[in-house]
Amino acid sequence: MPTELTLGAVYQRRVAVSLERVWENVHDWEHLPWLHDASFSGIELEDSGEWGWRARVRLASPGEAETLLIDLRREPDRNVYHTRTLEGAGKGADTLVTLTPETENSTHVRVEFWLPIADAEQAESVGASLVAVYTRLWDEDESMMIRRQQELDAASARRREGVPPAIDAISLGPWESLSSRLPLRISSAAGDYRVVETGAGFAAHMTRCPHWGGPLADAEISDGHVVCPWHGYRFSLDDGRAADGRRCHMRPPPRVECDDHGEARLVFPDRG
Ligand code: FES
Ligand SMILES: [Fe+2]
């Protein structure tokens, strides 16, 4: 550790996920301004690889409308990584994280905040505020990682069970009262869906993001798209495609229709 850095604080915790989930999260630069929107408002990737990533990260706090150049780098063959601030506030700081797998679903995390501050008392004070920020960041990361593991486990179970029986349509009850019952969440053998109303009428979408299984049951609807809270991908309520043309997309959503008896139905396009 370079001598000009002072250890400001050490933060330790356990997260209830495997080491694999933690490394996946560490490499996932894209979630910063979405999952951690209280801390970050934007990110621009400069480079990434097995070694880690380097990106310009915009801070969210009003008084800190500032961009930092961050370099996150794994130490080869060790469960250790550094997050170094190369430019911006706190330039020169090095946050050293050591990961220790404990059980299949538990990983110990030790974070050391090495700060470019010579005065020990001042370094301790900055360290204490960083511990508060990191506590929130790791809380948010842990809830995402747990949820992702649950989604992966559920996907494996579905694969073991085989293809579910085809469903043509699902009843949504009286058409007349549909509007007042929204948002409506449907759990079925065909998957879990949410029915919403937009300026263009009723629409339905899957509540599991096709990217990493992010939660869409309460996701924002914006301009005819559902926006995933984990990485901000936007999927069309019309055809399931990603707004920016990326390859990740949803299955074409079911249509919301009214049958001859005044009943609202969710009709699956490939079968309906
Ligand atoms: S899980 Fe990544 S955008 Fe939804
Ligand atoms: Fe994170």
Side-chain angles (χ1 to χ4, degrees):
M1 197 57 58
T3 47
E4 67 269 23
L5 297 179
T6 305
L7 182 60
V10 176
Y11 170 60
Q12 302 195 69
R13 72 180 288 159
R14 253 172 209 90
V15 285
V17 286
S18 64
L19 179 67
E20 183 189 1
R21 283 287 78 72
V22 178
W23 273 125
E24 178 185 66
N25 184 275
V26 168
H27 279 275
D28 175 28
W29 56 271
E30 233 178 343
H31 75 265
L32 264 66
W34 294 95
L35 187 73
H36 306 308
D37 58 353
S39 303
F40 308 109
S41 61
I43 189 162
E44 264 174 55
L45 183 69
E46 288 205 341
D47 197 8
S48 68
E50 295 272 302
W51 56 271
W53 51 265
R54 189 173 59 252
R56 292 194 180 272
V57 176
R58 215 165 37 250
L59 299 177
S61 324
E64 300 171 84
E66 181 163 9
T67 300
L68 312 181
L69 180 60
I70 300 290
D71 182 276
L72 184 148
R73 198 164 285 264
R74 283 178 84 148
E75 283 193 6
D77 305 321
R78 294 183 65 203
N79 286 320
V80 171
Y81 66 94
H82 295 259
T83 309
R84 296 186 175 96
T85 306
L86 304 184
E87 289 175 18
K91 179 179 170 182
D94 182 354
T95 302
L96 173 67
V97 181
T98 305
L99 304 171
T100 310
E102 293 186 322
T103 66
E104 196 189 341
N105 279 314
S106 175
T107 303
H108 182 266
V109 180
R110 176 187 166 88
V111 186
E112 295 178 13
F113 299 100
W114 291 90
L115 306 169
I117 300 171
D119 181 77
E121 219 170 286
Q122 201 193 339
E124 208 174 297
S125 153
V126 173
S129 57
L130 286 170
V131 167
V133 171
Y134 268 66
T135 302
R136 187 178 66 224
L137 295 177
W138 276 97
D139 282 348
E140 291 165 347
D141 282 330
E142 185 181 30
S143 67
M144 172 178 170
M145 291 186 286
I146 290 174
R147 170 77 184 241
R148 172 148 168 79
Q149 187 61 57
Q150 289 167 345
E151 290 294 344
L152 290 170
D153 293 344
S156 309
R158 282 196 297 274
R159 275 195 297 277
R160 280 197 301 276
E161 283 162 15
V163 183
I167 291 179
D168 293 336
I170 297 171
S171 169
L172 300 175
W175 177 266
E176 217 177 61
S177 63
L178 182 60
S179 203
S180 65
R181 291 182 285 118
L182 299 181
L184 190 60
R185 293 180 185 84
I186 307 290
S187 193
S188 77
D192 296 341
Y193 290 88
R194 175 173 66 159
V195 181
V196 294
E197 193 168 15
T198 70
F202 295 116
H205 66 83
M206 291 173 62
T207 56
R208 178 182 185 278
C209 179
H211 178 221
W212 274 22
L216 301 182
D218 297 305
E220 181 194 348
I221 302 289
S222 161
D223 202 16
H225 292 77
V226 55
V227 186
C228 181
W230 280 3
H231 303 97
Y233 291 14
R234 299 159 61 87
F235 302 99
S236 164
L237 292 171
D238 224 23
D239 58 16
R241 289 178 205 261
D244 60 2
R246 59 176 105 220
R247 287 179 61 192
C248 178
H249 61 86
M250 285 180 157
R251 285 201 298 263
R255 299 185 304 274
V256 182
E257 294 182 356
C258 180
D259 73 6
D260 296 342
H261 308 286
E263 185 172 293
R265 285 156 50 92
L266 208 51
V267 180
F268 292 89
D270 46 342
R271 301 166 186 145

PDB file of all heavy atoms in Angstrom, residues 207-232:
ATOM      1  N   THR A 207     -43.070  -9.978 -15.666  1.00  0.00           N
ATOM      2  CA  THR A 207     -42.541  -9.269 -14.496  1.00  0.00           C
ATOM      3  C   THR A 207     -41.115  -9.707 -14.164  1.00  0.00           C
ATOM      4  O   THR A 207     -40.578  -9.358 -13.122  1.00  0.00           O
ATOM      5  CB  THR A 207     -43.446  -9.491 -13.264  1.00  0.00           C
ATOM      6  OG1 THR A 207     -43.575 -10.892 -13.050  1.00  0.00           O
ATOM      7  CG2 THR A 207     -44.803  -8.856 -13.472  1.00  0.00           C
ATOM      8  N   ARG A 208     -40.511 -10.474 -15.062  1.00  0.00           N
ATOM      9  CA  ARG A 208     -39.118 -10.893 -14.873  1.00  0.00           C
ATOM     10  C   ARG A 208     -38.315 -10.344 -16.043  1.00  0.00           C
ATOM     11  O   ARG A 208     -38.632 -10.634 -17.203  1.00  0.00           O
ATOM     12  CB  ARG A 208     -39.061 -12.424 -14.848  1.00  0.00           C
ATOM     13  CG  ARG A 208     -37.682 -12.974 -14.710  1.00  0.00           C
ATOM     14  CD  ARG A 208     -37.731 -14.507 -14.739  1.00  0.00           C
ATOM     15  NE  ARG A 208     -36.420 -15.046 -14.496  1.00  0.00           N
ATOM     16  CZ  ARG A 208     -35.488 -15.170 -15.432  1.00  0.00           C
ATOM     17  NH1 ARG A 208     -35.739 -14.806 -16.669  1.00  0.00           N
ATOM     18  NH2 ARG A 208     -34.315 -15.649 -15.115  1.00  0.00           N
ATOM     19  N   CYS A 209     -37.297  -9.563 -15.763  1.00  0.00           N
ATOM     20  CA  CYS A 209     -36.509  -8.966 -16.839  1.00  0.00           C
ATOM     21  C   CYS A 209     -35.721 -10.050 -17.576  1.00  0.00           C
ATOM     22  O   CYS A 209     -35.090 -10.903 -16.945  1.00  0.00           O
ATOM     23  CB  CYS A 209     -35.555  -7.931 -16.245  1.00  0.00           C
ATOM     24  SG  CYS A 209     -34.522  -7.154 -17.491  1.00  0.00           S
ATOM     25  N   PRO A 210     -35.724 -10.004 -18.916  1.00  0.00           N
ATOM     26  CA  PRO A 210     -34.994 -11.028 -19.671  1.00  0.00           C
ATOM     27  C   PRO A 210     -33.477 -10.880 -19.582  1.00  0.00           C
ATOM     28  O   PRO A 210     -32.750 -11.769 -20.007  1.00  0.00           O
ATOM     29  CB  PRO A 210     -35.472 -10.809 -21.109  1.00  0.00           C
ATOM     30  CG  PRO A 210     -35.914  -9.390 -21.155  1.00  0.00           C
ATOM     31  CD  PRO A 210     -36.426  -9.055 -19.787  1.00  0.00           C
ATOM     32  N   HIS A 211     -33.005  -9.777 -19.032  1.00  0.00           N
ATOM     33  CA  HIS A 211     -31.554  -9.586 -18.925  1.00  0.00           C
ATOM     34  C   HIS A 211     -30.993 -10.442 -17.781  1.00  0.00           C
ATOM     35  O   HIS A 211     -30.467 -11.518 -18.014  1.00  0.00           O
ATOM     36  CB  HIS A 211     -31.242  -8.090 -18.736  1.00  0.00           C
ATOM     37  CG  HIS A 211     -29.791  -7.790 -18.579  1.00  0.00           C
ATOM     38  ND1 HIS A 211     -29.325  -6.880 -17.671  1.00  0.00           N
ATOM     39  CD2 HIS A 211     -28.699  -8.298 -19.206  1.00  0.00           C
ATOM     40  CE1 HIS A 211     -28.006  -6.818 -17.751  1.00  0.00           C
ATOM     41  NE2 HIS A 211     -27.596  -7.673 -18.680  1.00  0.00           N
ATOM     42  N   TRP A 212     -31.191 -10.026 -16.541  1.00  0.00           N
ATOM     43  CA  TRP A 212     -30.657 -10.764 -15.390  1.00  0.00           C
ATOM     44  C   TRP A 212     -31.757 -11.186 -14.426  1.00  0.00           C
ATOM     45  O   TRP A 212     -31.497 -11.470 -13.275  1.00  0.00           O
ATOM     46  CB  TRP A 212     -29.655  -9.889 -14.625  1.00  0.00           C
ATOM     47  CG  TRP A 212     -28.258  -9.932 -15.150  1.00  0.00           C
ATOM     48  CD1 TRP A 212     -27.859 -10.284 -16.396  1.00  0.00           C
ATOM     49  CD2 TRP A 212     -27.068  -9.606 -14.417  1.00  0.00           C
ATOM     50  NE1 TRP A 212     -26.488 -10.190 -16.494  1.00  0.00           N
ATOM     51  CE2 TRP A 212     -25.986  -9.773 -15.296  1.00  0.00           C
ATOM     52  CE3 TRP A 212     -26.821  -9.168 -13.120  1.00  0.00           C
ATOM     53  CZ2 TRP A 212     -24.663  -9.531 -14.914  1.00  0.00           C
ATOM     54  CZ3 TRP A 212     -25.511  -8.921 -12.737  1.00  0.00           C
ATOM     55  CH2 TRP A 212     -24.445  -9.107 -13.629  1.00  0.00           C
ATOM     56  N   GLY A 213     -32.999 -11.138 -14.896  1.00  0.00           N
ATOM     57  CA  GLY A 213     -34.101 -11.536 -14.018  1.00  0.00           C
ATOM     58  C   GLY A 213     -34.541 -10.436 -13.068  1.00  0.00           C
ATOM     59  O   GLY A 213     -35.166 -10.718 -12.044  1.00  0.00           O
ATOM     60  N   GLY A 214     -34.246  -9.207 -13.396  1.00  0.00           N
ATOM     61  CA  GLY A 214     -34.627  -8.080 -12.536  1.00  0.00           C
ATOM     62  C   GLY A 214     -36.139  -7.994 -12.347  1.00  0.00           C
ATOM     63  O   GLY A 214     -36.914  -8.471 -13.176  1.00  0.00           O
ATOM     64  N   PRO A 215     -36.566  -7.385 -11.230  1.00  0.00           N
ATOM     65  CA  PRO A 215     -37.993  -7.335 -10.889  1.00  0.00           C
ATOM     66  C   PRO A 215     -38.742  -6.250 -11.658  1.00  0.00           C
ATOM     67  O   PRO A 215     -38.424  -5.071 -11.529  1.00  0.00           O
ATOM     68  CB  PRO A 215     -37.961  -7.019  -9.387  1.00  0.00           C
ATOM     69  CG  PRO A 215     -36.684  -6.257  -9.183  1.00  0.00           C
ATOM     70  CD  PRO A 215     -35.705  -6.722 -10.229  1.00  0.00           C
ATOM     71  N   LEU A 216     -39.738  -6.642 -12.438  1.00  0.00           N
ATOM     72  CA  LEU A 216     -40.486  -5.661 -13.230  1.00  0.00           C
ATOM     73  C   LEU A 216     -41.924  -5.492 -12.735  1.00  0.00           C
ATOM     74  O   LEU A 216     -42.697  -4.749 -13.337  1.00  0.00           O
ATOM     75  CB  LEU A 216     -40.503  -6.078 -14.710  1.00  0.00           C
ATOM     76  CG  LEU A 216     -39.135  -6.223 -15.390  1.00  0.00           C
ATOM     77  CD1 LEU A 216     -39.310  -6.592 -16.862  1.00  0.00           C
ATOM     78  CD2 LEU A 216     -38.317  -4.941 -15.254  1.00  0.00           C
ATOM     79  N   ALA A 217     -42.281  -6.169 -11.629  1.00  0.00           N
ATOM     80  CA  ALA A 217     -43.678  -6.116 -11.158  1.00  0.00           C
ATOM     81  C   ALA A 217     -44.091  -4.696 -10.759  1.00  0.00           C
ATOM     82  O   ALA A 217     -45.267  -4.346 -10.847  1.00  0.00           O
ATOM     83  CB  ALA A 217     -43.873  -7.067  -9.985  1.00  0.00           C
ATOM     84  N   ASP A 218     -43.124  -3.886 -10.325  1.00  0.00           N
ATOM     85  CA  ASP A 218     -43.437  -2.506  -9.949  1.00  0.00           C
ATOM     86  C   ASP A 218     -42.623  -1.517 -10.782  1.00  0.00           C
ATOM     87  O   ASP A 218     -42.462  -0.358 -10.394  1.00  0.00           O
ATOM     88  CB  ASP A 218     -43.106  -2.286  -8.462  1.00  0.00           C
ATOM     89  CG  ASP A 218     -43.957  -3.179  -7.575  1.00  0.00           C
ATOM     90  OD1 ASP A 218     -45.185  -3.114  -7.698  1.00  0.00           O
ATOM     91  OD2 ASP A 218     -43.386  -3.955  -6.787  1.00  0.00           O
ATOM     92  N   ALA A 219     -42.063  -2.004 -11.897  1.00  0.00           N
ATOM     93  CA  ALA A 219     -41.147  -1.163 -12.680  1.00  0.00           C
ATOM     94  C   ALA A 219     -41.868   0.032 -13.305  1.00  0.00           C
ATOM     95  O   ALA A 219     -43.066  -0.025 -13.590  1.00  0.00           O
ATOM     96  CB  ALA A 219     -40.492  -2.002 -13.763  1.00  0.00           C
ATOM     97  N   GLU A 220     -41.095   1.082 -13.521  1.00  0.00           N
ATOM     98  CA  GLU A 220     -41.625   2.301 -14.153  1.00  0.00           C
ATOM     99  C   GLU A 220     -42.043   2.003 -15.592  1.00  0.00           C
ATOM    100  O   GLU A 220     -41.370   1.255 -16.305  1.00  0.00           O
ATOM    101  CB  GLU A 220     -40.492   3.345 -14.138  1.00  0.00           C
ATOM    102  CG  GLU A 220     -40.879   4.674 -14.722  1.00  0.00           C
ATOM    103  CD  GLU A 220     -39.653   5.546 -15.010  1.00  0.00           C
ATOM    104  OE1 GLU A 220     -38.543   5.215 -14.546  1.00  0.00           O
ATOM    105  OE2 GLU A 220     -39.842   6.541 -15.731  1.00  0.00           O
ATOM    106  N   ILE A 221     -43.166   2.614 -15.971  1.00  0.00           N
ATOM    107  CA  ILE A 221     -43.592   2.567 -17.378  1.00  0.00           C
ATOM    108  C   ILE A 221     -43.331   3.947 -17.949  1.00  0.00           C
ATOM    109  O   ILE A 221     -43.773   4.960 -17.379  1.00  0.00           O
ATOM    110  CB  ILE A 221     -45.097   2.234 -17.507  1.00  0.00           C
ATOM    111  CG1 ILE A 221     -45.435   0.894 -16.843  1.00  0.00           C
ATOM    112  CG2 ILE A 221     -45.517   2.246 -18.988  1.00  0.00           C
ATOM    113  CD1 ILE A 221     -44.925  -0.332 -17.536  1.00  0.00           C
ATOM    114  N   SER A 222     -42.588   4.003 -19.046  1.00  0.00           N
ATOM    115  CA  SER A 222     -42.261   5.306 -19.603  1.00  0.00           C
ATOM    116  C   SER A 222     -42.318   5.244 -21.123  1.00  0.00           C
ATOM    117  O   SER A 222     -41.630   4.412 -21.732  1.00  0.00           O
ATOM    118  CB  SER A 222     -40.859   5.702 -19.115  1.00  0.00           C
ATOM    119  OG  SER A 222     -40.306   6.697 -19.920  1.00  0.00           O
ATOM    120  N   ASP A 223     -43.156   6.094 -21.680  1.00  0.00           N
ATOM    121  CA  ASP A 223     -43.204   6.227 -23.131  1.00  0.00           C
ATOM    122  C   ASP A 223     -43.397   4.866 -23.830  1.00  0.00           C
ATOM    123  O   ASP A 223     -42.686   4.546 -24.791  1.00  0.00           O
ATOM    124  CB  ASP A 223     -41.882   6.875 -23.583  1.00  0.00           C
ATOM    125  CG  ASP A 223     -42.026   7.541 -24.927  1.00  0.00           C
ATOM    126  OD1 ASP A 223     -43.166   7.764 -25.344  1.00  0.00           O
ATOM    127  OD2 ASP A 223     -40.982   7.801 -25.564  1.00  0.00           O
ATOM    128  N   GLY A 224     -44.330   4.071 -23.333  1.00  0.00           N
ATOM    129  CA  GLY A 224     -44.630   2.788 -23.977  1.00  0.00           C
ATOM    130  C   GLY A 224     -43.612   1.699 -23.698  1.00  0.00           C
ATOM    131  O   GLY A 224     -43.587   0.674 -24.372  1.00  0.00           O
ATOM    132  N   HIS A 225     -42.752   1.921 -22.697  1.00  0.00           N
ATOM    133  CA  HIS A 225     -41.732   0.923 -22.370  1.00  0.00           C
ATOM    134  C   HIS A 225     -41.742   0.638 -20.882  1.00  0.00           C
ATOM    135  O   HIS A 225     -42.056   1.520 -20.071  1.00  0.00           O
ATOM    136  CB  HIS A 225     -40.331   1.424 -22.756  1.00  0.00           C
ATOM    137  CG  HIS A 225     -40.130   1.530 -24.227  1.00  0.00           C
ATOM    138  ND1 HIS A 225     -40.648   2.571 -24.963  1.00  0.00           N
ATOM    139  CD2 HIS A 225     -39.494   0.719 -25.106  1.00  0.00           C
ATOM    140  CE1 HIS A 225     -40.333   2.405 -26.240  1.00  0.00           C
ATOM    141  NE2 HIS A 225     -39.633   1.287 -26.353  1.00  0.00           N
ATOM    142  N   VAL A 226     -41.350  -0.589 -20.519  1.00  0.00           N
ATOM    143  CA  VAL A 226     -41.147  -0.894 -19.109  1.00  0.00           C
ATOM    144  C   VAL A 226     -39.639  -0.780 -18.862  1.00  0.00           C
ATOM    145  O   VAL A 226     -38.825  -1.256 -19.660  1.00  0.00           O
ATOM    146  CB  VAL A 226     -41.729  -2.286 -18.744  1.00  0.00           C
ATOM    147  CG1 VAL A 226     -41.178  -3.399 -19.603  1.00  0.00           C
ATOM    148  CG2 VAL A 226     -41.491  -2.608 -17.271  1.00  0.00           C
ATOM    149  N   VAL A 227     -39.289  -0.092 -17.770  1.00  0.00           N
ATOM    150  CA  VAL A 227     -37.877   0.224 -17.498  1.00  0.00           C
ATOM    151  C   VAL A 227     -37.392  -0.617 -16.320  1.00  0.00           C
ATOM    152  O   VAL A 227     -37.925  -0.518 -15.209  1.00  0.00           O
ATOM    153  CB  VAL A 227     -37.709   1.726 -17.147  1.00  0.00           C
ATOM    154  CG1 VAL A 227     -36.229   2.076 -17.016  1.00  0.00           C
ATOM    155  CG2 VAL A 227     -38.388   2.598 -18.195  1.00  0.00           C
ATOM    156  N   CYS A 228     -36.377  -1.441 -16.537  1.00  0.00           N
ATOM    157  CA  CYS A 228     -35.892  -2.318 -15.475  1.00  0.00           C
ATOM    158  C   CYS A 228     -35.084  -1.509 -14.455  1.00  0.00           C
ATOM    159  O   CYS A 228     -34.202  -0.730 -14.814  1.00  0.00           O
ATOM    160  CB  CYS A 228     -35.037  -3.438 -16.052  1.00  0.00           C
ATOM    161  SG  CYS A 228     -34.445  -4.553 -14.761  1.00  0.00           S
ATOM    162  N   PRO A 229     -35.361  -1.714 -13.157  1.00  0.00           N
ATOM    163  CA  PRO A 229     -34.658  -0.927 -12.132  1.00  0.00           C
ATOM    164  C   PRO A 229     -33.212  -1.373 -11.888  1.00  0.00           C
ATOM    165  O   PRO A 229     -32.482  -0.681 -11.180  1.00  0.00           O
ATOM    166  CB  PRO A 229     -35.512  -1.161 -10.873  1.00  0.00           C
ATOM    167  CG  PRO A 229     -36.182  -2.469 -11.091  1.00  0.00           C
ATOM    168  CD  PRO A 229     -36.393  -2.592 -12.578  1.00  0.00           C
ATOM    169  N   TRP A 230     -32.794  -2.484 -12.438  1.00  0.00           N
ATOM    170  CA  TRP A 230     -31.428  -2.950 -12.153  1.00  0.00           C
ATOM    171  C   TRP A 230     -30.383  -2.337 -13.091  1.00  0.00           C
ATOM    172  O   TRP A 230     -29.325  -1.910 -12.658  1.00  0.00           O
ATOM    173  CB  TRP A 230     -31.358  -4.477 -12.241  1.00  0.00           C
ATOM    174  CG  TRP A 230     -31.865  -5.167 -10.999  1.00  0.00           C
ATOM    175  CD1 TRP A 230     -32.406  -4.564  -9.889  1.00  0.00           C
ATOM    176  CD2 TRP A 230     -31.878  -6.571 -10.741  1.00  0.00           C
ATOM    177  NE1 TRP A 230     -32.748  -5.525  -8.974  1.00  0.00           N
ATOM    178  CE2 TRP A 230     -32.430  -6.759  -9.459  1.00  0.00           C
ATOM    179  CE3 TRP A 230     -31.475  -7.688 -11.485  1.00  0.00           C
ATOM    180  CZ2 TRP A 230     -32.594  -8.026  -8.894  1.00  0.00           C
ATOM    181  CZ3 TRP A 230     -31.637  -8.950 -10.920  1.00  0.00           C
ATOM    182  CH2 TRP A 230     -32.181  -9.112  -9.635  1.00  0.00           C
ATOM    183  N   HIS A 231     -30.663  -2.327 -14.391  1.00  0.00           N
ATOM    184  CA  HIS A 231     -29.687  -1.773 -15.342  1.00  0.00           C
ATOM    185  C   HIS A 231     -30.309  -0.765 -16.303  1.00  0.00           C
ATOM    186  O   HIS A 231     -29.648  -0.308 -17.238  1.00  0.00           O
ATOM    187  CB  HIS A 231     -29.032  -2.887 -16.170  1.00  0.00           C
ATOM    188  CG  HIS A 231     -28.356  -3.942 -15.351  1.00  0.00           C
ATOM    189  ND1 HIS A 231     -28.958  -5.124 -15.030  1.00  0.00           N
ATOM    190  CD2 HIS A 231     -27.139  -3.970 -14.779  1.00  0.00           C
ATOM    191  CE1 HIS A 231     -28.128  -5.856 -14.284  1.00  0.00           C
ATOM    192  NE2 HIS A 231     -27.021  -5.175 -14.112  1.00  0.00           N
ATOM    193  N   GLY A 232     -31.600  -0.493 -16.120  1.00  0.00           N
ATOM    194  CA  GLY A 232     -32.239   0.538 -16.926  1.00  0.00           C
ATOM    195  C   GLY A 232     -32.592   0.136 -18.345  1.00  0.00           C
ATOM    196  O   GLY A 232     -32.910   1.007 -19.159  1.00  0.00           O
TER     197      GLY A 232
END
